[in-house]
Amino acid sequence: MNEYDSARLAAVLELHGLIPAIIEKADVILVNTCSVRAKAEENAIARIKGLKRFKIENEKLKIGILGCMAKNRGESLFKDLPFIDFILAPDEYQKLPEILHPTPYFPLPAFQEFAKLTNNHSAFIAIQSGCNMRCSYCIVPYVRGREQYRESGSVLQEIEEAVAKGVSEFTLLGQTVNGYRFKGLSFAGLLRQVADTKGVERIRFMSPHPKHYTGELMEILLSEPKIAPHVHLPVQSGSNSVLKKMRRQYTRENYLSIVEALRFSNPLYGITTDIICGYPGETEEEFEETLSLLQEAQFDSAFMFAYSPREGTPAASEKEFLNEEQKKARLQKTIDLQNSITLKRAKLMIGQSEKILLEKPSRKNPSEWVGKTGNFKKVVIDIGAIPHCSPGMYIDCVIEGVKGHTLRGKLSA
Ligand code: 5AD
Ligand code: SF4
């Protein structure tokens, strides 16, 4: 979501005459921040402190803090970071051009520089903002507000415009994206319209909530070939008692039934997830249930976190029985198990024919390119025989092996 916001802000600023620059030469530095875990905020603050030196070198430099931390910490940020110029929360971005404008020192856009920085084959499209869920540990509803759904006509228009610029892969975004509804149109209905849009080749969405897996949605997911066979479906815990305390509104069994349906249709269906280890009061048995869920679900990969108390959330006022070390130990156990499953899932791909969307040349070897399979696995391919590769091209390849967690592919004959 933040990447999307950053891209949109960049587009707006370009309309106002700003151009992307390397950090040493920038007249404006905007830091888009995240508040989801304490670590995210700590990293952002450390990063912002590191920007102070650019102010010494460039007097006209303006530094602004954007994103969820701007909302969460507000004016208090000026105390820790007195050299910053302004703070703008996500619901205030429309003020940004006004803050920076008029700015006589902005030169006209240099198209060449801009082209190098843009990645044109794949686009994020936000269809929902905010979140109406109240997961007990989560700060997002407080910093992003109530759910708002974007008008479907405007979604489709943005997609059509992007197609005209050569984009073929679209990722629909929202905190609980499959809860989308607009004037009687469901998320499944919107997916149908996107799939029917000329030039759209691959559709992804992020992040759905298990609660909103309707029969109608399942049907389109399993029948529409343009919808990529991958889903990032956060589960958080494998224990029903913890899920209940987290107010997740589904059970382990509900969750696993979705996994089963997707994998029944396609055993290689990519399923990735988020896990929180060491939720307040999580017992050893409850933690073991998360490990057993990982075994059962066989996730292709997972983002795993130690629980981080966020002030103002209900979970933050619950007593924590685990110290940081114990939470870290559970996290490490989870990571170790998932790493072995991730590798196993990657190896299942060997011998498969796959359509790869090329992203960029590999850094180490320019005759190799990096791309993604439909089920969202990274593949490195030797493109030796193709004279002109470009981001956004689809090529057919056969998966030959696995190196680390990355697949190696060979062009199909
Ligand atoms: N502590 C740890 N992880 C969290 N997440 C959200 N809030 C917290 C928290 N307080 C994780 C969840 C979510 C992901 C974006 O971040 O797993 O899905
Ligand atoms: Fe946070 Fe839950 Fe909303 Fe996800 S669904 S953003 S975890 S409150």
Side-chain angles (χ1 to χ4, degrees):
M1 194 59 85
N2 272 9
E3 279 182 38
Y4 173 81
D5 285 347
S6 296
R8 290 208 62 114
L9 281 166
V12 170
L13 294 180
E14 273 165 33
L15 287 177
H16 285 258
L18 281 80
I19 57 166
I22 57 167
I23 202 158
E24 290 79 7
K25 295 209 171 151
D27 292 322
V28 178
I29 301 178
L30 303 174
V31 185
N32 196 0
T33 59
C34 171
S35 278
V36 77
R37 285 169 296 278
K39 188 93 191 132
E41 288 195 348
E42 286 158 20
N43 288 345
I45 287 176
R47 188 78 195 271
I48 297 161
K49 283 188 176 153
L51 299 176
K52 193 175 167 188
R53 65 186 171 101
F54 297 116
K55 278 226 138 173
I56 301 164
E57 288 156 25
N58 177 1
E59 279 170 14
K60 29 179 213 190
L61 172 63
K62 282 194 187 337
I63 298 179
I65 303 184
L66 276 46
C68 294
M69 188 173 74
K71 180 89 183 175
N72 193 32
R73 297 212 179 179
E75 300 286 309
S76 76
L77 285 167
F78 284 118
K79 259 195 275 148
D80 298 336
L81 306 160
F83 58 92
I84 59 174
D85 295 277
F86 58 90
I87 299 170
L88 271 188
D91 51 4
E92 299 173 320
Y93 290 165
Q94 73 283 359
K95 291 189 203 154
L96 188 57
E98 193 187 301
I99 291 178
L100 300 174
H101 203 78
T103 40
Y105 44 80
F106 294 128
L108 283 172
F111 183 72
Q112 277 300 316
E113 266 175 75
F114 170 52
K116 261 186 268 155
L117 291 161
T118 332
N119 187 358
N120 268 336
H121 58 281
S122 183
F124 290 132
I125 310 280
I127 63 166
Q128 176 213 32
S129 65
C131 181
N132 289 356
M133 300 281 174
R134 284 288 177 272
C135 300
S136 61
Y137 51 83
C138 184
I139 199 167
V140 170
Y142 304 90
V143 289
R144 292 275 178 169
R146 302 285 296 169
E147 280 173 24
Q148 284 181 318
Y149 309 105
R150 187 161 157 207
E151 191 192 334
S152 58
S154 134
V155 172
L156 295 168
Q157 191 188 337
E158 186 178 349
I159 292 178
E160 280 166 15
E161 285 168 10
V163 164
K165 289 187 195 147
V167 179
S168 70
E169 182 186 64
F170 292 90
T171 305
L172 306 181
L173 288 181
Q175 264 3 295
T176 54
V177 72
N178 54 338
Y180 176 90
R181 51 187 186 272
F182 187 80
K183 287 194 181 152
L185 184 70
S186 63
F187 180 63
L190 180 68
L191 280 178
R192 163 68 39 236
Q193 295 188 358
V194 176
D196 289 343
T197 304
K198 217 172 135 218
V200 172
E201 300 274 348
R202 217 174 237 188
I203 305 167
R204 303 184 183 278
F205 51 89
M206 209 164 64
S207 290
H209 191 285
K211 174 180 147 163
H212 295 299
Y213 268 78
T214 58
E216 186 199 18
L217 177 57
M218 269 300 180
E219 197 185 316
I220 186 165
L221 292 184
L222 301 182
S223 64
E224 173 52 62
K226 286 185 181 177
I227 303 178
H230 166 250
V231 66
H232 182 74
L233 189 60
V235 65
Q236 315 298 2
S237 167
S239 150
N240 279 335
S241 40
V242 174
L243 287 172
K244 197 158 181 189
K245 285 195 211 164
M246 289 177 162
R247 308 186 190 168
R248 288 291 292 175
Q249 307 187 36
Y250 54 83
T251 62
R252 172 190 177 104
E253 292 73 26
N254 300 148
Y255 185 92
L256 285 171
S257 71
I258 301 170
V259 171
E260 195 185 326
L262 297 174
R263 290 271 173 76
F264 180 76
S265 82
N266 172 1
L268 292 173
Y269 205 102
I271 306 179
T272 55
T273 200
D274 290 346
I275 303 276
I276 298 177
C277 302
Y279 183 82
E282 184 190 71
T283 64
E284 192 60 39
E285 290 74 36
E286 287 168 331
F287 170 62
E288 291 290 331
E289 287 182 72
T290 294
L291 297 181
S292 85
L293 179 115
L294 292 189
Q295 290 283 15
E296 246 182 90
Q298 294 284 303
F299 292 114
D300 292 81
S301 70
F303 293 117
M304 295 158 276
F305 314 104
Y307 167 71
S308 164
R310 309 308 291 129
E311 212 182 305
T313 62
S317 51
E318 279 178 47
K319 183 164 165 40
E320 283 202 72
F321 295 95
L322 300 170
N323 60 33
E324 284 308 307
E325 228 164 79
Q326 290 166 317
K327 282 194 270 180
K328 287 253 167 67
R330 287 190 183 176
L331 174 62
Q332 195 53 51
K333 241 180 161 172
T334 313
I335 292 173
D336 291 343
L337 172 61
Q338 183 54 46
N339 277 347
S340 68
I341 298 170
T342 299
L343 186 62
K344 205 159 101 195
R345 292 288 303 170
K347 284 186 177 159
L348 286 179
M349 296 291 291
I350 297 174
Q352 285 292 313
S353 296
E354 288 288 329
K355 192 164 124 182
I356 310 295
L357 175 56
L358 292 183
E359 290 171 4
K360 55 186 177 205
S362 123
R363 247 185 294 155
K364 288 182 216 135
N365 180 350
S367 73
E368 289 180 337
W369 273 65
V370 181
K372 289 247 170 54
T373 62
N375 64 0
F376 208 60
K377 293 198 190 278
K378 190 168 147 189
V379 187
V380 174
I381 314 148
D382 189 334
I383 44 83
I386 306 183
H388 302 294
C389 268
S390 58
M393 249 174 85
Y394 290 89
I395 60 161
D396 292 315
C397 86
V398 177
I399 307 301
E400 284 195 309
V402 181
K403 206 170 163 189
H405 284 172
T406 304
L407 304 179
R408 313 292 301 192
K410 193 180 98 187
L411 288 180
S412 295

